[in-house]
Amino acid sequence: MSERKGLGRSGTVGEGTRAVRAGLPEPVKYEPTLPGPVFAAHFHLPGEPTGPYTYGRDENPTWSHLERAIGELEAPGESVGTVAFASGMAAISAVLFSQLKAGEAVVLPDDGYQALPLLRERLEAYGVEVRTAPTGGDAQLDVLDGARLLWIETPSNPGLDVCDVRRLVKAAHSAGALVAVDNTLATPLGQRPLELGADFSVASDTKGMTGHGDILLGHVTCRDPELVAGVRRWRKVVGAIPGPMEAWLAHRSLATLQLRIERQCANALALAEALGSRGEVSGLRYPGLPSDPSYTIASQQMRHFGSVVSFVLPDRGHAERFLSGLRLVDDATSFGGVRSSAERRGRWGGDAVPEGFIRFSVGAEDAVDLVADVLRALDEAAAR
Ligand SMILES: *Cc1c(COP(=O)(O)O)cnc(C)c1O
């Protein structure tokens, strides 16, 4: 990381300061603070074809700014490599397919993102052995023997279980396995996987990282230049590149990351506390709730507990009445955006959840308005 105005190598500035300045180039007279998106399939390139900018599938200056910004958030004050992707799945696939060969074994969570089983099918078709275990209770420890890569998702989506990243990393490394953490739910402000010992921090930046529900994007960050190079090569091979406009919008959104996370996490805790006193609500999960089974480990490795709260209503009809009664909360999938949304997760069929399971993504509204809307919708759903 180069030294830039206001952000030294020390990495000692606060989260808000870091977020608003992350990845900004040195000031140049008459240039904007954050240079606009560069739309280019190719760049002027006389003579020897050396970089940084040659062809648009390999590199783009707008990606470079965003990648530097994400690196500063993932590992303040350290030198790391970040590769931006067209989506979270592109980033996840890049790690799995660049690292694993036929005959090797990978350990996945069995309660992770709903597209992991699709990846499993692909990996197995290529001759990779796939083992799974739940996130909770660090159960992945039991199936590490001889594995090449451990894939962790904590907090898990949608169940919000948490595993002890340091403990799993220690065991994986002594078994000779690399460790990747899907950090989508926490964002680098909530949790820094590389600091906890992981080799890859991976995320869907479609969610809280960009936070406006209007772009898909993903990234991978690692310390080891060889691992970064493998991931970068994979992006070039499959062409899973972000559009310059999306990359620029993402960088612009990072300036408000700390504001959004602080507000949304405070709102999530307020909502979880309000839900805790409702008789019809069971299975309430929020890692920041002191009564939550994840709380102890979460508070040892997370700085913020995320914007997702999950809970169960008595049945499908009850859950549907609740969702349609909400006025300030969209019935929609995804999470991490400034506008609250919620959905009955069972409608997708991919997760092992009860019919009345609600995944609630808490936005940046005023907590008092949001909680009032939820309590009113709960009352109406129960009355019918
Ligand atoms: C959404 C999500 C993904 C996939 O990201 P896309 O940007 O939709 O491709 C991966 N992991 C987790 C935990 C997610 O929530």
Side-chain angles (χ1 to χ4, degrees), residues 142-156:
D142 300 334
V143 288
L144 275 179
D145 209 22
R148 154 91 180 139
L149 178 68
L150 166 64
W151 190 272
I152 294 173
E153 186 180 313
T154 179
S156 62

Side-chain angles (χ1 to χ4, degrees), residues 153-377:
E153 186 180 313
T154 179
S156 62
N157 169 21
L160 301 181
D161 266 328
V162 168
C163 57
D164 184 338
V165 179
R166 287 189 190 89
R167 181 176 178 220
L168 283 159
V169 164
K170 203 162 166 240
H173 284 172
S174 54
L178 293 168
V179 181
V181 176
D182 182 333
N183 201 39
T184 299
L185 203 138
T187 83
L189 254 64
Q191 175 170 271
R192 295 190 197 134
L194 300 186
E195 227 166 65
L196 299 172
D199 302 285
F200 302 89
S201 179
V202 187
S204 165
D205 299 327
T206 309
K207 316 289 170 54
M209 189 74 152
T210 56
H212 292 72
D214 50 13
I215 50 177
L216 282 97
L217 216 74
H219 80 267
V220 177
T221 302
C222 346
R223 286 202 181 96
D224 182 338
E226 263 182 56
L227 297 181
V228 180
V231 168
R232 198 176 289 283
R233 203 171 315 119
W234 180 263
R235 181 178 67 180
K236 176 186 169 104
V237 170
V238 298
I241 55 170
M245 191 68 198
E246 283 76 3
W248 182 80
L249 280 169
H251 198 160
R252 189 180 191 268
S253 303
L254 289 184
T256 56
L257 181 62
Q258 192 271 344
L259 286 171
R260 290 184 281 110
I261 295 288
E262 194 170 79
R263 173 67 160 255
Q264 290 176 240
C265 293
N267 281 0
L269 182 61
L271 177 68
E273 283 168 347
L275 290 167
S277 59
R278 299 289 300 205
E280 74 272 52
V281 167
S282 62
L284 174 65
R285 296 300 303 267
Y286 182 63
L289 208 53
S291 58
D292 192 277
S294 293
Y295 182 75
T296 307
I297 300 165
S299 26
Q300 287 163 15
Q301 64 193 21
M302 300 183 78
R303 293 176 160 78
H304 303 278
F305 299 104
S307 61
V308 181
V309 175
S310 64
F311 57 97
V312 181
L313 291 173
D315 56 46
R316 175 177 174 162
H318 201 123
E320 285 172 348
R321 290 197 300 280
F322 165 66
L323 291 171
S324 64
L326 291 164
R327 291 180 193 143
L328 299 178
V329 182
D330 297 329
D331 187 344
T333 194
S334 200
F335 59 84
V338 288
R339 286 173 283 272
S340 288
S341 64
E343 70 171 336
R344 197 179 67 78
R345 195 62 188 167
R347 65 180 174 172
W348 294 97
D351 304 306
V353 294
E355 285 290 339
F357 183 99
I358 302 285
R359 186 181 70 183
F360 200 116
S361 169
V362 183
E365 299 85 0
D366 290 294
V368 53
D369 294 336
L370 184 64
V371 169
D373 193 46
V374 167
L375 295 181
R376 184 195 44 73

Side-chain angles (χ1 to χ4, degrees), residues 19-90:
V20 298
R21 298 214 68 89
L24 297 183
E26 276 298 337
V28 175
K29 196 171 184 181
Y30 307 131
E31 290 293 319
T33 311
L34 175 63
V38 174
F39 297 99
H42 57 83
F43 299 84
H44 289 299
L45 189 67
E48 284 304 306
T50 49
Y53 303 112
T54 57
Y55 183 61
R57 182 165 23 80
D58 298 347
E59 286 297 344
N60 173 293
T62 311
W63 305 346
S64 304
H65 290 133
L66 173 66
E67 289 170 347
R68 201 179 303 134
I70 294 173
E72 287 172 14
L73 299 173
E74 288 277 6
E78 279 189 64
S79 171
V80 293
T82 296
V83 188
F85 284 90
S87 68
M89 283 309 291

